[in-house]
Amino acid sequence: MARVPRRKVTVIGAGNVGATTAQQIIETGLADVVLVDIVEGLPQGKALDLAEAAPVIGYDVRIVGTNDYADTADSKIIVVTSGIPRKPGMSRDDLIATNATIVGGVVKAAAAVSPDAIIIVVTNPLDAMCHVAMRASGFPKERVIGMAGVLDSARFRSFIADELEVSVRDVRAFVLGGHGDTMVPLPRYSTVGGVPITELLSPERIEQLVDRTRNGGAEVVALLKTGSAFYAPAASVVEMVESILRDRRRVLPCAAYLDGEYGVRGLFCGVPVVLGNGGIERVIEISLTPDERAAFDKSAEAVRELVEHLPA
Ligand code: APR
């Protein structure tokens, strides 16, 4: 009897975020993983190490490392983490140009052999890289998704839980907009056990937590000094992967290509979406107060500016 292949997730970039994502996917037994990098030996070495942990931890999905996109064929999901970090003296435009070339190249190669895949983009600057991935793959908007909001809201949730000394499990947070500085948290939709945090914390304290969330990435970079966050980013990717593979239809904040929703057309922006087997099943629209609207528009404008800096 012919063997039915297991579901396959390709993770491009075997650095901190990519390798940790691969580890978390196989440890939850969600799918076989193919780890790809441009550096020879790096994905092979990390995949071998992870495969050798399998008997101890007890996962039985497979992981392979490769430099060859042929090995990624027929993936259900392609996670893109390849890129370079911003180096001292490098302008934002230089970073965008370099990462756009990297993301464009890897997406083209991976999409060619997995034409039905769903792409999850992680490489920064996130919203701009989503555009590059959509252009390079030619995939429809439902199948190109950016990971940002899950991470931003996870950070916000962890700070709220700490502040109120409650379990993170009971804290929900709602964020909109671009990744980072222009993120738009919505405190009135952020809840602890169903109670909006506006009932539990002072506006000043909420603003402080929001600020810390906006700078969450920078706070980790300042401590690490030689790299950026990877545990929480990887966990956030895996939550999205799981919702897609298991068709859970979780409502998660993701960067989605807006086609008129929230009054925005032709831009990737962080919004709540239903994530299922087909990728983005639906964008959920909520009404915004004038202040929230202004913050969202500012965020969309910042994304538009980034996209305009993309090489043609
Ligand atoms: N093809 C494949 N892999 C590549 C390519 C390429 N063309 N160019 C670079 N890479 C690989 C690097 O060799 C490296 O192993 O991408 C990997 C990036 O890993 P790290 O430098 O460890 O970066 P990481 O911390 O994982 O972050 C990756 O995610 O959160 C974002 O801002 C972060 O954009 C960054 C990305």
Side-chain angles (χ1 to χ4, degrees), residues 8 32-36 43-44 47-48 51 62-66 71:
K8 192 198 272 188
D32 288 345
V33 171
V34 181
L35 188 58
V36 189
Q44 291 87 344
L48 179 61
R62 280 171 49 81
I63 174 154
V64 295
T66 183
D71 297 326

Side-chain angles (χ1 to χ4, degrees), residues 139-290:
F139 285 3
K141 62 181 171 44
E142 296 74 25
R143 292 200 278 121
V144 182
I145 315 164
M147 188 294 290
V150 176
L151 173 60
D152 289 331
S153 77
R155 286 180 170 145
F156 196 25
R157 287 169 67 191
S158 79
F159 301 148
I160 295 167
D162 254 9
E163 178 73 17
L164 292 169
E165 297 185 326
V166 296
S167 166
V168 287
R169 295 173 67 125
D170 295 319
V171 182
R172 298 276 140 213
F174 200 109
V175 296
L176 288 174
H179 189 33
D181 303 349
T182 61
M183 179 193 92
V184 185
L186 298 191
R188 69 193 171 103
Y189 287 130
S190 302
T191 58
V192 176
V195 180
I197 58 168
T198 45
E199 300 284 320
L200 303 167
L201 291 166
S202 68
E204 297 73 34
R205 194 64 193 128
I206 291 175
E207 197 43 47
Q208 285 165 353
L209 299 185
V210 163
D211 239 34
R212 189 172 177 202
T213 306
R214 279 208 186 96
N215 298 312
E219 185 178 355
V220 175
V221 169
L223 290 165
L224 293 180
K225 295 183 185 76
T226 54
S228 47
F230 53 99
Y231 292 118
S236 305
V237 172
V238 177
E239 186 168 55
M240 292 165 65
V241 166
E242 196 210 14
S243 189
I244 294 168
L245 291 181
R246 300 218 162 116
D247 195 28
R248 281 197 191 274
R249 296 170 173 260
R250 300 277 315 272
V251 178
L252 298 173
C254 298
Y257 186 84
L258 299 184
D259 205 7
E261 299 93 342
Y262 288 92
V264 173
R265 200 171 291 279
L267 269 192
F268 274 88
C269 236
V271 291
V273 302
V274 179
L275 269 196
N277 199 257
I280 294 179
E281 307 276 347
R282 192 164 84 237
V283 171
I284 295 182
E285 274 192 274
I286 57 157
S287 57
L288 302 176
T289 64

